[in-house]
Amino acid sequence: MRYNFFILFFLFLGQENHSSEPQRRILKTPLKQSATSYSVLTEIQPESGPLTTPPKSQEVPPGDPWTPTANLKILISAASPEIRNREQKKGLLDRSEIVETKHCLHEHLSGDEYEKSQPSRKEKSLGLLCHKFLARYPNYPSTAENSDICLDEVAEELNVERRRIYDIVNVLESLHMVSRLAKNRYAWYGRHNLNRTLQTLKKVGEENKYTQQIEMIKKREYEFELDGDKNEEMVTKPVGPNEHSEMCFVELPGMEFRAASVNSRKDKSLRVMSQKFVMLFLVSTPQIVSLEVAAKILIGEDHIEDLDKSKFKTKIRRLYDIANVLSSLELIKKVHVTEEKGRKPAFKWTGPEVLPDTKPVTTTTSLIPSNSAKSKSPKEQCSKNLFPSRGKQSFTRHPSLIKLVKTTESDGRKIHSAPSSPSKTSTNNDENSSSLPSKMAQLAAICKQQLEGQSRELKMKLTRSTLECKLTSSDESILKCEPNTTSSCQTPSLVQPLGVLPLIHNSVSPVMLPQTHSAISYAIYLHPSHAQTVTTLQSVPCPNVTGTTSVFDANSKIPFNQMTTEERDSNTGEGDAGNLVAKERQVTKIEFTPERCLKRSQALQENSSIKKCRSDEKSLEDVYTTLFPSGYIIPLAQCTQHGNKAIFSNKEKSGICSLPHMTYSSPIAGVVPVTASEFTAVNIPAFHVTPLKFMVSPSSIAAAPVVNCSCLNSSHSNPVQNPSSSILNFTLQHLGLIPAGVQVSPNPVLQPVPISPKPEHASPVSENVSLQQGRVFKNESQITECDLNGKSGAVIPLQQTTVPVKPKEPQPVTENFFRTPGGPNAISRFASSPADSDGVDGVSRGNLFAPQRKLEVSEDQL
DNA sequence: ACCTCCCGCCACTTC
DNA sequence: GAAGTGGCGGGAGGT
């Protein structure tokens, strides 16, 4: 009997692989293209070897799924339903025969054998089941094909409970790959709608500020690490403006749910979770999301009070379910991020790059986060203005409202809906890869526009605007809120509601304080964790990311540090352009005022052992350099060339840019008071991975353009060339600060030993990382140069907050930052140590204040 | 011990 | 009331 199975299985394989047309016609539902089927089957039966020799189950060591016995198991579990299906239709077998076959199998095998012949747990996984499910249908079904899915049929053919099919279908539904037609029946759309859906999800995710939420969660995790159990509630506490939001299912026009039952459970359903999960990937850079963060965000959005462990576990379970299906769709891939805490499961987006939707009307969802309308902060007001035309903010998902609108639109849209017009959607994202040249051109244009606009703007408002605000100049939509942003940046009295504030900061942002309090200009560096990092790997706040967003376009580059090589590779081309707009937008949302910093600091650190914050403005005056729990106030005048020199030389010594492993330091910093002299004295290995953010005094005009050149940097095609240097010169020339043809050395000090990306190249880190890092350091150099040139601009290590700075006077707070291996004393040791030959150590040592998390991303087979 | 996630109970919804 | 859906969490297989 077992032989019969193998024979039938081969028949099955042959049919699948060749996928003959007659065969397709026989089936009620369209078969997937042979390629896919083949891959699926390959997975099911990969190189199993001599199938002609039926294995004896006893001889096979258990546990190896690809042993002969495993083949048998697979045969039974996977092939049998298919065989039955096909043979049924061919009239060779009927159901009774199948049953009989199974029965015979059972009889022929002993209890133990039969037990072993049963598919293992793995072979019954949802992922594999989903593979089989997907193999039944074409990616892009034609309209001629009958794409109805009968759940009963499928369940029977796949030999699973219908319950499992629901799991799959629900996720597919969230991507609009299927839609429910009626009881027990679904329509298969394949991937026709996928790109639209992803675009929409990305947009909604951005609007929902998932990036910031991720950021906050990571920050809180870090704080939790620092402060122990005390802050547990903070760690799990939902964050962001969406605390009270119940984001609902995002629908596409023409894809509305037809069953009320579905609608009634939408809010909790796997569908919504799935969409949110996908959103997290789409708004993250790199597109890696850990289950933990995802679960927290999803929980946070539901109910703040339901933060017990069981809820969390349940969420994780559901996320696994979703992830399995998404993995089968090849949209995500399982990876692991390794940090100090240990190895954490995460998933990496491997689906199509999702470009910002340029045609909002066609992809506008009928749903928006319900909280949108609730926001009243200036920030939210500003945010509202970003999407005035869409009117989405005015909607909440009320079924009656939505249905009213949809019913009128639906029919018409359905006519044009993707399922019936594959060619239309096929031009979308799936072909994104082919649009790279245009993307690059677009990117270049954007950068150019930015540069020009910024230069102009800089001259006019140099002393008034933050660099971040200026960066927005190229973003049309952001411009609308610029007055707000600008004024808020300058108006210390403008205090952001605490609940919203943390989410506003996408990056550590230097803020120019009006020199009303003292003659000293201050740069305030907010907590890096609010920076754009978001994207990043689970609970691995990356200083690079957090610190540089607005200045060095860290969004697009720093995250590279955290990417796997594969990811970096895939991102280099398409990612930058695609993410640029979003990144810029995020950058422009930064609003800082001293009070905000203080308030925010208070809020964030309230339960923290880090209580260093001087939360009155007086401190700004009285304290040379005032410590902020989440940032620094650094008198620019004190950030002397001297200090920078020390830093740079140190970096130089330490082989700075080396970042061989996926090792990242935490962005969390800023709790250590740092004076200029301290900076000077400190050796900062952390600079290895710490992008700089620098402050520009009103009189300094050279630095700002450099800052604004981040986009240029990002588009720079030559990773070896020092982009910052070129940009610096270009900018200076552009601004008329130096005559054309004159080249300014970024850093005379370092000139003899140009900061070379070589160390980075030597490392496993990709060129992107190297470029990024090289750029960062060059920027530092540039800043130094400006300072040297007598401009009062100063370079302030942004994440230097994460820099190992040993406080002159021991403060309790700082203790928290010396938990990293080596302890407080290690600072001096590290400081005095020569360049770290290995970038990893350098990084680790450098981040004495940060949760020294060694982050490694490994990819697993799901 | 922890990670994964299958499995099926059972509440809710629809027919 | 039966059938369809799907939330949910126990607990077992896998690592």
Side-chain angles (χ1 to χ4, degrees), chain A residues 42-93:
Chain A
T42 299
E43 179 167 338
I44 296 170
Q45 182 84 32
E47 302 152 6
S48 42
L51 286 178
T52 52
T53 305
K56 293 180 181 178
S57 57
Q58 321 71 317
E59 298 173 353
V60 180
D64 182 355
W66 303 127
T67 61
T69 296
N71 291 337
L72 175 60
K73 292 177 183 176
I74 292 166
L75 170 64
I76 294 167
S77 65
S80 177
E82 302 286 352
I83 293 168
R84 175 175 50 191
N85 178 41
R86 286 159 180 76
E87 295 306 320
Q88 238 180 343
K89 286 160 183 170
K90 292 167 68 177
L92 298 179
L93 284 174

Side-chain angles (χ1 to χ4, degrees), chain A residues 12-23:
Chain A
F12 165 69
L13 280 176
Q15 289 165 358
E16 275 296 330
N17 289 335
H18 302 301
S19 186
S20 63
E21 285 307 313
Q23 179 74 25

Side-chain angles (χ1 to χ4, degrees), chain A residues 88-364:
Chain A
Q88 238 180 343
K89 286 160 183 170
K90 292 167 68 177
L92 298 179
L93 284 174
D94 60 17
R95 181 165 306 178
S96 61
E97 285 175 320
I98 294 295
V99 173
E100 184 183 349
T101 300
K102 278 187 151 186
H103 188 63
C104 290
L105 177 67
H106 197 173
E107 282 182 349
H108 282 251
L109 298 174
S110 68
D112 191 40
E113 284 177 322
Y114 181 73
E115 195 69 22
K116 289 182 177 180
S117 70
Q118 292 296 89
S120 71
R121 186 182 171 90
K122 265 193 169 182
E123 289 148 11
K124 288 187 284 187
S125 74
L126 194 62
L128 191 56
L129 179 63
C130 188
H131 264 303
K132 289 190 280 185
F133 180 90
L134 295 172
R136 297 166 50 86
Y137 310 102
N139 281 331
Y140 298 93
S142 69
T143 54
E145 287 173 298
N146 180 356
S147 297
D148 281 7
I149 299 171
C150 177
L151 295 189
D152 274 337
E153 260 179 37
V154 175
E156 185 182 338
E157 292 170 8
L158 298 183
N159 199 26
V160 294
E161 294 175 41
R162 195 161 55 173
R163 176 72 193 81
R164 303 278 74 78
I165 302 297
Y166 283 123
D167 288 337
I168 295 173
V169 163
N170 286 341
V171 175
L172 295 178
E173 203 173 12
S174 74
L175 300 172
H176 302 109
M177 293 180 68
V178 301
S179 72
R180 191 171 180 274
L181 289 176
K183 198 172 176 178
N184 222 349
R185 295 200 76 81
Y186 280 78
W188 172 258
Y189 298 136
R191 295 176 183 256
H192 283 308
N193 294 317
L194 190 56
N195 293 323
R196 270 205 310 166
T197 302
L198 295 179
Q199 282 183 340
T200 302
L201 292 178
K202 182 174 185 177
K203 182 166 47 177
V204 173
E206 287 168 352
E207 292 171 7
N208 219 33
K209 297 182 172 55
Y210 274 130
T211 300
Q212 290 92 330
Q213 291 190 56
I214 296 171
E215 181 79 12
M216 280 303 292
I217 283 180
K218 288 176 180 174
K219 178 188 176 302
R220 285 175 176 168
E221 279 181 356
Y222 168 68
E223 288 174 351
F224 173 66
E225 278 186 9
L226 289 180
D227 304 329
D229 296 344
K230 284 186 294 181
N231 284 345
E232 185 165 13
E233 70 281 2
M234 284 188 67
V235 174
T236 54
K237 183 177 163 187
V239 295
N242 296 317
E243 286 181 7
H244 308 294
S245 76
E246 297 266 341
M247 194 178 65
C248 301
F249 189 77
V250 176
E251 293 177 348
L252 291 179
M255 298 289 291
E256 297 81 10
F257 285 106
R258 291 161 178 77
S261 65
V262 178
N263 286 320
S264 67
R265 295 192 189 182
K266 270 183 187 175
D267 287 350
K268 285 185 178 180
S269 76
L270 205 64
R271 280 178 283 256
V272 174
M273 279 187 67
S274 171
Q275 290 191 332
K276 290 177 180 176
F277 193 41
V278 170
M279 286 180 200
L280 295 180
F281 288 101
L282 298 180
V283 303
S284 295
T285 308
Q287 292 174 306
I288 296 177
V289 176
S290 73
L291 286 180
E292 190 178 325
V293 164
K296 284 176 180 173
I297 288 178
L298 296 184
I299 290 173
E301 278 196 340
D302 288 345
H303 296 290
I304 299 175
E305 65 271 18
D306 298 332
L307 292 176
D308 53 288
K309 276 194 169 181
S310 66
K311 180 91 175 179
F312 184 76
K313 281 181 64 180
T314 297
K315 225 62 169 177
I316 293 287
R317 276 195 284 256
R318 297 289 80 78
L319 285 175
Y320 275 119
D321 293 340
I322 296 167
N324 273 325
V325 176
L326 295 179
S327 296
S328 295
L329 290 169
E330 296 177 344
L331 293 179
I332 63 173
K333 181 179 181 179
K334 189 177 183 183
V335 297
H336 278 105
V337 294
T338 303
E339 53 187 54
E340 280 190 348
K341 275 184 178 177
R343 201 158 164 256
K344 286 186 176 180
F347 290 89
K348 182 180 75 173
W349 183 256
T350 58
E353 184 73 22
V354 179
L355 294 176
D357 183 17
T358 55
K359 295 179 287 184
V361 175
T362 61
T363 58
T364 295

